[in-house]
């Protein structure tokens, strides 16, 4: 199994049969039809010639089929990675120049190498530090920026810039120069694609088609728009009326290309390559995980890094640009019945056929149609409702999402996501540094202990019990010390302090030293410190320190045992008292009964 | 009480009486005797003229007495802050120049303003992010650097540099130029002070003195060394034999000085001011907390920031340099019976008297004696044993401590502590991103559920129960998803997955969305997802999301209720089975029985 671990095709390839072949082939045909216009459009978005999109949809798919673990992931050009490519390469070279193409190849190569390194050293967990609110805010902002950047193509004028503000400002003075035939084509395409997206599937279903095939046919909307617009351009000779066309696309298979090894260029691209790798990986692995779970399969995130790394390296040697697993295409691939990564290789064959035989037709394709496909695709990524859901669930998550969204729109994609990651880490650290803690007492008639502020409980006058609902570590050790010493200073009758630890999953050295200081401080004030309900792994660790010997009190297995030992009359009295209705006052206070 | 909150003297001043006065005055006399040589020595360490140390021990103490909340904290020049001052000011100006003195005043002012801002906005918790291992490694490294930097004074040669390596390298070529009389005085002082530290107190106790007074007298060792060496210099005319002396110290009260408002200088000092403030605050607040606890008192960390901020601003207007609460002096102050912050004001009066009347004597004081007092003082800060204790307790804490220590020695104080903070945060995030989790089963004869790897428990074939011992947040959400889906993929008979949440103190939006994806993935695979033992605050939050409606399973109050509902026969059978000796195999596996 060792080689199959690194080359999953050795595993599934052995069991490949005619049934899998026919399923994979059917899925590949459907994905190919979807991918042809997408690959051209995303190349346009990335500032690259249209054939770069086709090339990025051939060799990378074969490489992923060899190394990837997802049976449904459809690798290739995607919107957000294309935008990131445009933002980083656009800083270095003029769009349309040879330098620009070389920089994109180099970016793909660096991104591939970085992904491979992460995979080989099993560092995939690093991607987890990109939180969902940050990704959500970033994707929404990216969608808005991408849509804005395509408005120029729809109007037939130039637009430039990498932030929403820059793009809109560059558009305003150009509006007077709008090319009407282009606008007509663009607006018609937008309207058609929008209707296809929302209205075609239900229509087909009303006409008697089952939901599955109806959905598949609706996915072919963009290729229909492409075909019709090519015919319109040829028949009406729209090129002569100022409609921008894709123009000559060379026929044939991808060329052999080489990334640059210039240190200056590599230095300028490396941070963008890291960002593109991580964003692409996160997008890809989340859809791969979800689709695998539906079939009780699983993916290996570290091997996914290897697969995506191989795909990007393949892109850099075959005239492509950075790729990753696309969300919408993967879902289509899954729904169409793809059973192994071979479906991706068959899709590559389909795109290769298109590159060989369909390119003469594409010369007459208006860029406005491609822009319309991009706008319709990315506006489905824009999810402003997520802001409302985040606000209702958690203010901290809302803050991270809103900050990422706004900063990405205003400062650009790279600064926006960096600020989002920093903010979400800071908010997490802040939350854990001021943990929830509660003074607890015994629920009458039970051996249970609950928060005195939420429940009618019985407390012993000489015992203070504090439950801390967080692992103890350096950032909250000082808080804990202040809380205990503050409570003791307020209540002069205290003889025992019990720290109830069922929610303490770890105690680090800082917290241990703080507990030692608290123990010592309380000892001099004539108060004993006890622990209760300490977890096994935490206890194992405490035994390796001098703390348990210095502890003035005891470690009790349960909080009730602590009360029974330290305040036996209170404990017995509470146990024999009538048990109240479960938490009678919790509901009236708007609290959960636990 | 409102004004007293911000000006604690309004509170304790009202209750001040003759008994408190006599206690405070006695403590002040003892601290003054200890502080005279220390203040001169630390000014030398900071690269400032000796009077700067005296000035820093007058107005700042009065300012702290007005605003501080600790009854025992002895504010003034301390070793580590003096080293940090030398490191930051030394980058900007030549030691001995007016610019150097102005830069030190400005540093004190900036540090004071920063502390005040933190205090007013109640941001004291930020200091918690300096973990104990980082502080410990930093203090040990600082002690070694300070001791090395004083070797030049002991040998009577020049030494310079801000890292251990730089200092030692600068010393080597100078060794041949050692001044023998200086070395004799330095070595004799070192030996005497070392003996005083370790041997004088036991000797006095053997002579019949109680421990308290014996300890106080031992603290006067440095002033004795100062006095004897001044006499020796005068009698033997050692100044003429090349022994470096403190030289002319101006008599009189502190001058009125102003910090610089030059933007360049402020820009160059501001990051050092932040570092000095935080390091000084952490040192000060930890000793203040410990001493307050011994008397069942408490300090207010945010008001402490105000007190230390006022002290530093006072230092900047009265010829001083950055100050904070000193560890050893505060303990002496406490042991000597200080009862209110007034003891600090009386100490200020004592130092003012010394500045008025003792300075003519100090001209003949050899710098080697001051260097010896510094070396003996800081070597007590060096705690290499902490490395061993950290190693035994936790590899992560050891790594943070060792890295801070080594990087501080090699790269200098500022880079060292910055690297330590970054590393300790990274280690914490790594630990929480890969949480402990356990598949659990029912302990026979009980309703308890424990780890299947640690205990002989009974599990139902159709139910998988996973207990996660960490709050769920963005960095471990992916881990959780992989763990659940991995377990399900391994065990084909599973119909129910129960996530047991007694240790889950929070679920953030990323983790919520992951749970939604897991729920959806399992649903498509025909598996229901349930939760058990969800905490109140977590449940309150989940109710504000759509998750509970989408959940395919239920939320059970206890894990036993989950088993009783999902696998009633297994649950009943396990409950009726003979209860084993408590965890018979736990001890043999070297595990804690919980």
């Amino acid at each position: 199994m060792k080689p199959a671990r690194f080359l999953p095709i050795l595993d599934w390839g052995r069991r490949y049969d005619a049934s899998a072949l026919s399923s994979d082939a059917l899925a590949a045909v459907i994905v190919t039809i979807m991918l042809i216009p997408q690959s051209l459009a995303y190349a346009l978005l990335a500032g690259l010639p249209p054939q770069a999109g086709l090339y990025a949809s051939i060799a990378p798919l074969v490489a992923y089929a060899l190394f990837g673990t997802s049976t449904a992931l459809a690798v290739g050009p995607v919107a957000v990675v294309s935008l990131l490519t445009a933002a980083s390469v656009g800083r270095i070279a003029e769009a349309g120049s040879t330098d620009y193409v070389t920089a994109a190849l180099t970016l793909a190569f660096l991104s591939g190498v970085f992904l491979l390194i992460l995979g080989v050293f099993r560092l995939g967990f690093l991607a987890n530090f990109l939180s969902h609110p940050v990704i959500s805010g970033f994707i929404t902002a990216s969608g808005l920026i991408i849509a804005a950047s395509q408005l120029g193509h729809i109007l037939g004028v130039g637009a430039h810039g990498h932030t929403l503000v820059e793009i809109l400002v560059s558009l305003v003075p150009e509006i007077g120069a709008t090319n009407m035939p282009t606008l007509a084509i663009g607006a018609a395409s937008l309207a058609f694609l929008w209707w296809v997206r929302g209205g075609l599937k239900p229509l087909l279903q009303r006409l008697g088609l089952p939901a599955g095939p109806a959905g598949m046919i609706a996915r072919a909307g963009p290729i229909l728009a492409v075909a019709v617009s090519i015919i319109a351009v040829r028949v009406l000779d729209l090129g002569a009326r100022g409609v921008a066309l894709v123009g000559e696309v060379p026929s044939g298979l991808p060329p052999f290309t080489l990334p640059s090894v210039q240190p200056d260029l590599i230095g300028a691209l490396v941070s963008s390559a890291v960002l593109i790798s991580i964003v692409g990986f996160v997008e890809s692995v989340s859809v791969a995980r979800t689709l695998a779970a539906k079939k009780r399969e699983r993916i290996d995130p570290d091997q996914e890094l290897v697969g995506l790394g191989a795909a990007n390296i393949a892109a850099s040697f075959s005239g492509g640009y950075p790729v990753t697993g696309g969300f919408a295409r993967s879902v289509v691939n899954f729904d169409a019945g793809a059973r192994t990564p071979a479906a991706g290789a068959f899709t590559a064959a389909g795109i290769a056929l298109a590159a060989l035989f369909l390119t003469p037709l594409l010369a007459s394709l208006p860029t406005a149609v491609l822009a319309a496909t991009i706008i319709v695709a990315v506006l489905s990524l824009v999810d402003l409702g997520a802001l409302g859901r985040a606000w209702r669930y958690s203010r901290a998550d809302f803050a991270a999402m809103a900050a990422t969204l706004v900063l990405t729109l205003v400062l650009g994609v790279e600064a926006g996501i960096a600020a989002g990651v920093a903010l979400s880490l800071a908010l997490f650290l802040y939350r854990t540094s001021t943990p929830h803690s509660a003074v607890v007492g015994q629920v009458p008639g039970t051996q249970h202990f609950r928060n005195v502020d939420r429940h009618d409980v019985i407390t012993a006058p000489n015992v203070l019990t504090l439950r801390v609902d967080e692992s103890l570590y350096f950032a909250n050790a000082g808080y804990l010390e202040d809380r205990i010493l503050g409570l003791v200073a307020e209540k002069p009758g205290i003889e025992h302090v019990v720290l109830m630890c069922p929610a303490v999953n770890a105690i680090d050295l800082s917290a241990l030293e703080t507990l030692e200081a608290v123990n010592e401080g309380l000892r001099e004030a004539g108060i004993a410190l006890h622990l209760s309900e300490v977890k096994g792994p935490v206890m194992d660790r405490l035994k390796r320190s001098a703390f348990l010997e210095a502890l003035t009190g005891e470690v009790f297995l349960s909080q009730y045992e602590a009360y029974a030992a330290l305040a036996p009359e209170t404990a017995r009295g509470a146990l024999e008292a009538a048990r109240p209705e479960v938490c009678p006052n919790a509901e009236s206070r708007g609290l959960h009964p636990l």
Side-chain angles (χ1 to χ4, degrees), chain A:
Chain A
M1 282 304 283
K2 206 77 194 278
R5 156 87 182 69
F6 298 104
L7 212 60
I9 192 174
L10 295 181
D11 183 33
W12 60 261
R14 199 170 302 166
R15 291 179 272 107
Y16 206 69
D17 57 16
S19 146
L21 174 69
S22 68
S23 296
D24 286 346
L26 175 66
V29 168
I30 292 164
V31 173
T32 302
I33 290 172
M34 190 176 171
L35 183 51
I36 293 173
Q38 277 194 354
S39 64
L40 299 169
Y42 292 147
L44 185 78
L45 171 58
L48 289 163
Q51 63 270 23
L54 294 173
Y55 299 160
S57 309
I58 301 176
L61 279 66
V62 177
Y64 180 82
L66 295 174
F67 294 100
T69 61
S70 166
T71 57
L73 198 68
V75 171
V78 306
V80 172
V81 167
S82 299
L83 174 70
L84 287 167
T85 300
S88 66
V89 174
R91 267 203 316 264
I92 292 166
E94 191 78 26
S97 66
T98 328
D99 283 356
Y100 194 96
V101 174
T102 308
L105 292 173
T106 309
L107 188 64
F109 181 73
L110 293 175
S111 173
V113 169
F114 181 70
L115 287 164
L116 263 186
I117 291 173
L118 288 184
V120 169
F121 290 99
R122 310 194 70 73
L123 298 173
F125 70 90
L126 285 176
N128 295 333
F129 290 99
L130 214 52
S131 72
H132 291 207
V134 169
I135 297 169
S136 168
F138 176 72
I139 298 273
T140 290
S142 298
L144 291 173
I145 292 173
I146 293 172
S149 75
Q150 298 306 307
L151 280 181
H153 293 293
I154 298 282
L155 299 173
V157 301
H160 49 84
H162 294 302
T163 69
L164 190 65
V165 178
E166 281 172 16
I167 293 168
L168 293 181
V169 166
S170 79
L171 268 178
V172 171
E174 300 284 327
I175 284 182
T178 300
N179 179 281
M180 284 304 158
T182 305
L183 179 56
I185 292 174
S189 305
L190 270 179
F192 172 71
L193 293 170
W194 201 258
W195 172 77
V196 163
R197 197 170 190 87
L200 183 56
K201 187 178 161 188
L203 180 71
L204 292 172
Q205 286 185 269
R206 273 201 302 280
L207 294 176
L209 235 63
M216 297 295 158
I217 292 175
R219 295 288 180 181
I223 201 112
L224 194 63
V226 165
V228 170
S229 67
I230 289 174
I231 294 168
V233 166
R234 295 225 167 162
V235 171
L236 304 175
D237 193 19
L238 293 175
R241 302 175 66 179
V243 173
L245 304 177
V246 165
E248 202 70 44
V249 179
S251 276
L253 292 174
F256 177 71
T257 53
L258 281 173
S260 167
V261 292
Q262 261 193 291
D264 284 0
L265 183 63
I266 291 176
L269 288 174
V270 73
S271 67
S272 302
V274 168
L275 180 65
I276 285 181
S277 304
I278 293 183
V279 169
F281 173 64
V282 167
E283 183 175 353
S284 180
V285 85
S286 73
V287 61
R289 257 198 204 114
T290 309
L291 296 176
K294 295 189 181 190
K295 294 202 281 186
R296 285 201 184 203
E297 294 172 352
R298 66 180 305 208
I299 55 156
D300 173 353
D302 289 309
Q303 185 61 26
E304 281 300 288
L305 286 164
V306 173
L308 292 174
N312 275 290
I313 291 173
S316 73
F317 286 106
S318 63
Y321 72 100
V323 295
T324 192
F327 189 83
R329 277 204 306 280
S330 300
V331 172
V332 169
N333 197 31
F334 180 87
D335 289 343
R339 276 174 43 190
T340 76
F346 298 154
T347 302
I351 299 288
L353 290 175
L356 282 170
F357 303 114
L358 294 185
T359 51
L361 297 175
L362 298 176
S364 307
L365 174 62
T367 53
V369 175
L370 292 180
T373 66
I374 294 179
I375 290 177
V376 172
V378 298
L379 284 184
S380 71
L381 300 178
V382 173
D383 181 10
L384 291 170
L387 283 171
R389 291 193 299 278
W391 173 262
R392 278 191 300 280
Y393 188 71
S394 144
R395 300 296 182 272
D397 283 313
F398 170 80
M401 190 185 290
T404 308
L405 201 163
V406 171
L407 292 174
T408 304
L409 289 180
V410 174
L411 300 178
V413 281
E414 302 189 344
I417 202 162
V421 170
L423 183 65
S424 58
L425 287 177
L427 288 168
F428 169 70
L429 292 170
Y430 176 72
R431 180 177 67 68
T432 57
S433 76
T434 53
H436 181 254
S437 66
V439 175
V440 297
Q442 190 173 353
V443 178
T446 74
Q447 298 188 354
H448 291 298
F449 284 73
R450 290 283 153 74
N451 189 343
V452 296
D453 293 331
R454 285 191 172 218
H455 302 277
D456 291 326
V457 291
I458 294 169
T459 53
N462 63 330
V463 182
L464 172 78
T465 308
L466 185 69
R467 191 191 73 212
V468 186
D469 290 346
E470 191 67 65
S471 293
L472 304 180
Y473 81 110
F474 57 87
N476 60 29
Y479 170 88
L480 175 73
E481 186 168 10
D482 286 336
R483 183 96 162 94
I484 295 177
L485 300 179
L487 287 167
V488 168
E490 276 168 24
K491 301 182 182 175
I494 301 295
E495 293 164 5
H496 302 278
V497 170
V498 184
L499 205 61
M500 188 178 168
C501 302
V504 175
N505 301 308
I507 295 180
D508 80 353
L509 188 61
S510 301
L512 177 74
E513 291 178 356
T514 300
L515 287 178
E516 288 172 340
V518 169
N519 180 54
E520 180 59 22
L522 293 178
R523 189 180 66 76
E524 303 221 3
I527 302 174
L529 177 69
H530 310 264
L531 304 180
S532 73
E533 307 194 5
V534 181
K535 298 194 165 185
V538 174
M539 198 69 196
D540 290 347
R541 194 164 282 245
L542 288 180
K543 283 184 176 165
R544 296 210 299 272
S545 76
F547 174 66
L548 294 179
E549 285 136 50
L551 189 67
T552 48
E554 290 176 58
V555 180
F556 293 103
L557 215 60
S558 76
Q559 175 56 29
Y560 180 74
E561 286 177 28
Y563 247 47
L566 304 175
E569 285 176 29
T570 306
R572 208 172 33 244
L575 191 58
E576 286 161 7
R579 184 177 183 168
E581 293 298 302
V582 176
C583 318
N585 56 350
E587 288 297 325
S588 68
R589 292 190 213 163
L591 299 169
H592 182 259
L594 275 185

